Amino acid sequence: MRVYHSVLKLRLLMGMQYRAAAIAGVATQFFWGFIIIMVFQAFYENAVTTPPISLKEIITYIWLQQAFLVFVTIWFRDNELFDLITSGNIAYELCRPCELYGFWYAKLLAQRLSSALLRCFPILIVAFFLPKPYDMTLPPSFTAFILFISSLILGLFLLVAVSMFMYISVFLTMSPTGSLLIFSVLGEFFAGLIIPVPLMPEWLQKIAYVLPFRWTADFPFRVYSGHIPQNDAIIGIVIQLAYILCLVWLGRLALNNILKKVVVQGG
Amino acid sequence: MSLYFKYLKILFKSQMQYRASFLLLMTGQFFIPFSVFAGLYFLFERFGQIRGWDFFEVALCFAVIHMAFAISECFARGFDMFSGMVVRGEFDRVLVRPRSTFIQVLGSKFEFTRFGRLLQSAVVLAWALGSLPLQWSPAKILTLILMITSGVLIFTGIFILQATMCFWTVQGLEVANIFTDGGREMAQYPLNIYQKWVARFFTYVIPFGTVNYLPLMYLLGKNNGNDLLYMLIPALGSLFILPCVLFWQLGVRHYRSTGS
Amino acid sequence: MIQLQGINKSYKVAKRQTGLKQAAKALFYREHTTIEALKDVTFEITQGEIVGYIGPNGAGKSTTIKIMSGILVPDTGTCTIMGYTPWKDRAAYVKNIGVVFGHRSQLWWDVPVIDSFELLKDIYKIPQQDYQTTKNLLIETLELQEIINSPVRQLSLGQRMRCEIAASLLHSPKILFLDEPTIGLDAVSKIAVRQFIKTINKEKGVTIILTTHDMNDIEALADRVILIGKGSLLYDGQLGELKKQYATQKTITADYQKNSTPLQIPGTQTLSWTPERAIITVDTDVTSTSEVITQLSNIVELKDVAIEAQPIEDIIIQLYKEYQI
């Protein structure tokens, strides 16, 4: 826990130092947000049938996506860990007196959280005060808000658990390129980053609902706007929990197994 | 120019040293815009059209922009990756060689993996052209080529601007993504689907509109007269690169007085 | 050949604060300080010289090198090298110089060294015939035959440095700037590099300006040293003069028959003393070594005496201390 705390503090400090980078990042995300919203606006204008999610809900969805981008993008990665694995310096890491899975998990979690903390507030605040129709709306009820916060935090835990598999796979491939590619292309698509999950064709939605990716971002964002009703949200949170437990257990098992082999091979 | 090809040769040789990773990255470059295109396809499946443009018309626009982007990212990568060159102090080396800084930076890096993206957009282009009821004429073929060339020059111009910023600060360069990645994502739809201010900005300041909207109207027969103007407008847009190159020269001068 | 007259250069640097609060403050406002990197630097170098340019980190060495190689424009002052002003006629001027940055490579990392050479031939527009002769000569004298066809990433540091030096000499420059050419090299490679630098200076009359932290480089190569500290020139003259002027200490190690009284000789300092051995330093401004030895032999029965001059390293440290740099 202390490790986690100091990594978080260090990251925040570093983020502050690079003021221009922070401002530039926020500006970029605003631009993206605007562009995507305008595209949807144009699509919705002459829609023949009523789409399964309203434009207002889409706009909120997109601003949340921009604010919590690091909760969606798997490619937000720690190259240090990749280097550690591919260079064989992992041996030093094994000398540390704590369990590797937990340590890495905490590190990755801290990185994403600090990055999100630096960026989400300016984006969210401005997004609320934008002129209509670009403005973000408040959640329909306080309960929805609480459900959103819980599902967002669980989503982050889940995403880190998923991304751990990317690092674990590098032990086998010894090059992060391939794993990164698969995880980011598939992961981001099924997390609703390219088009929101409700706008996908039925058959694709079915696939998205089975995979863990959409539970990290798509789910909490729609809980916020009330597109997912509260009862379903509670069920969803249980599913998130189940996913986290399952993936952490599997990841830990896989990592420990691989580490055993690494030790036997002598690095 | 012959020096440029020499650079091309040596860097291609370098990249071929890592064949496996090269192929993987190229595959990635094929699939990343592919998923974006898939998203576009699914949106059209649901909505049918966007402000009067149908799927294949937008696909044509998509292909032209992505093609231009892939080419400039491959050949002007030296400017795109310039911040690293400044940080590592390698720009000093450029200055002690008796050639223009422009060609040396241009030749410092090529990203051949972008052929994956190029291939992807070529497939989309072929599909769109095959499915659109177009009446081909030499003028239209010329326009299409002009569109792509001009797109390449505009993206390269933005890369140069981004690189020039490095002479003042290497922080916050991310903002240039608005115009590179952002410009690409935006310009994959015809410009008139956006609000007026966006369309104006991307026509008169950064002239994507001269690549993806005006000549596209001509190609699809949507313009009212003035064929020649619509046809040649991409050439006008490609003039964008000139002030960028001037700005680059200014940046080099600044660097040499501060040496940061 | 090289003339610098009253060169001044200052930089503006942003102050960086520590702590979360300060960092947050710096988001909106940042203080700047001006650092004077060079203050009124003036010197002249004639053709065929090897000049050691020394000084602690941040003294202004690389700023001077950058100005002389046309990378940087000074605030005031003039610099004329071979009739050119480096920062004005950059492209024409740099054809005449070679630059080796010790910690940065100019070779293309993933291709054989020879490919890099070929490309440099095109960059410098070297005529084919000249290129062939120079290349062969360099390969021979630097013993590159074995490594010329390997990619740079597979070479050892010493091998790479030899290739770096060859790469900077392909276009037969008249002046060679060497910025820490022996950094990180092992003893054998260092000697090989020094040997080569000497050879090209003697045989081709190449003027060499060398910065280094290794005083052995200076001793082996440079007749003349220029010392810079905090942006100002502190010393410019022959290495021998510098030694004579500042090496006023000699160390004497004396072994003798058992003697229980400590030594007391005027003008000396005892560094260590045992009944059988003493190490003393002699200040040659006050007394001479022979005088001290005579006195020693009066007090004790000498078995063996060794005299050592102060190493150049110590002189430089002493100089740095004296100038408080």
Side-chain angles (χ1 to χ4, degrees), chain B residues 95 256, chain C residues 65-72 86-87 90 93-94:
Chain B
L95 285 171
R256 294 178 70 201
Chain C
I65 297 277
K66 279 182 180 178
I67 287 174
M68 287 195 286
S69 51
I71 296 171
L72 210 56
W87 57 89
R90 189 186 68 83
Y93 164 70
V94 295

Side-chain angles (χ1 to χ4, degrees), chain A residues 31, chain B residues 178-179 183 186 191 198-204 206-209:
Chain A
F31 179 80
Chain B
I178 290 180
F179 306 115
M186 185 226 43
L191 215 56
V198 178
R200 281 208 192 106
F201 180 82
F202 282 105
T203 305
Y204 297 111
I206 296 173
F208 279 119

Side-chain angles (χ1 to χ4, degrees), chain A residues 31 35, chain B residues 61-62 64-70 72 146-159 161 176-192 194 198-217 230 233-241:
Chain A
F31 179 80
I35 290 299
Chain B
C61 189
F62 176 98
V64 166
I65 285 297
H66 277 261
M67 214 170 221
F69 184 75
S72 54
L146 264 181
M147 282 164 80
I148 296 170
T149 325
S150 165
V152 171
L153 291 176
I154 292 170
F155 278 120
T156 306
I158 299 168
F159 286 137
L161 289 184
N177 290 351
I178 290 180
F179 306 115
T180 53
D181 291 343
R184 184 196 66 216
E185 292 302 303
M186 185 226 43
Q188 69 197 16
Y189 289 96
L191 215 56
N192 75 329
Y194 299 102
V198 178
R200 281 208 192 106
F201 180 82
F202 282 105
T203 305
Y204 297 111
V205 182
I206 296 173
F208 279 119
T210 66
V211 173
N212 84 332
Y213 176 53
L214 299 169
L216 197 69
M217 306 254 282
Y230 279 94
I233 221 155
L236 215 62
S238 56
L239 295 180
F240 172 73
I241 200 167

Side-chain angles (χ1 to χ4, degrees), chain B residues 13 18 95 99 256-257, chain C residues 9 70 73 90 110 115 125:
Chain B
K13 215 168 160 182
Y18 307 94
L95 285 171
R99 287 307 185 93
R256 294 178 70 201
S257 67
Chain C
K9 181 81 209 170
V73 184
R90 189 186 68 83
D110 292 313
D115 288 358
K125 297 183 183 157

Side-chain angles (χ1 to χ4, degrees), chain C residues 218-229:
Chain C
I218 297 288
E219 212 153 7
L221 291 169
D223 309 317
R224 178 176 160 196
V225 287
I226 296 178
L227 175 70
I228 188 171

Side-chain angles (χ1 to χ4, degrees), chain B residues 71-135:
Chain B
I71 295 172
S72 54
E73 238 198 341
C74 170
F75 295 103
R77 186 69 163 171
F79 283 104
D80 192 17
M81 298 272 99
F82 185 66
S83 63
M85 203 168 174
V86 165
V87 171
R88 288 189 300 271
E90 281 164 16
F91 189 63
D92 288 354
R93 172 63 62 194
V94 165
L95 285 171
V96 299
R97 282 180 178 158
R99 287 307 185 93
S100 78
T101 52
F102 189 81
I103 189 146
Q104 288 189 66
V105 174
L106 201 61
S108 66
K109 208 164 168 66
F110 296 100
E111 197 51 68
F112 298 102
T113 55
R114 294 302 184 267
F115 279 117
R117 189 186 279 270
L118 190 63
L119 190 69
Q120 194 266 346
S121 46
V123 170
V124 173
L125 185 73
W127 190 29
L129 288 181
S131 312
L132 283 168
L134 287 178
Q135 258 132 37

Side-chain angles (χ1 to χ4, degrees), chain C residues 178-228:
Chain C
L178 296 163
D179 193 5
E180 305 195 28
T182 57
I183 195 160
L185 299 191
D186 61 51
V188 180
S189 307
K190 270 185 185 174
I191 289 168
V193 166
R194 283 178 200 144
Q195 197 62 46
F196 177 73
I197 294 172
K198 258 202 155 131
T199 316
I200 54 153
N201 170 259
K202 278 229 176 71
E203 289 181 4
K204 295 190 130 189
V206 177
T207 310
I208 289 163
I209 290 120
L210 167 86
T211 79
T212 180
H213 285 293
D214 186 340
M215 290 310 150
N216 294 321
D217 287 350
I218 297 288
E219 212 153 7
L221 291 169
D223 309 317
R224 178 176 160 196
V225 287
I226 296 178
L227 175 70
I228 188 171

Side-chain angles (χ1 to χ4, degrees), chain A residues 131-209:
Chain A
K132 279 183 190 316
Y134 302 106
D135 63 323
M136 194 176 151
T137 43
L138 287 170
S141 65
F142 188 68
T143 333
F145 180 70
I146 295 294
L147 285 172
F148 161 70
I149 293 292
S150 350
S151 61
L152 186 70
I153 293 170
L154 287 176
L156 174 64
F157 276 90
L158 180 56
L159 181 65
V160 175
V162 172
S163 73
M164 279 298 284
F165 282 99
M166 189 168 72
Y167 296 96
I168 294 168
S169 73
V170 175
F171 276 105
L172 302 173
T173 58
M174 284 331 255
S175 154
T177 327
S179 318
L180 257 173
L181 173 71
I182 296 166
F183 274 90
S184 42
V185 171
L186 289 181
E188 281 172 20
F189 192 85
F190 286 110
L193 193 71
I194 309 231
I195 53 171
V197 177
L199 290 181
M200 291 179 184
E202 293 290 328
W203 61 272
L204 209 60
Q205 282 191 34
K206 279 191 192 126
I207 301 177
Y209 283 136

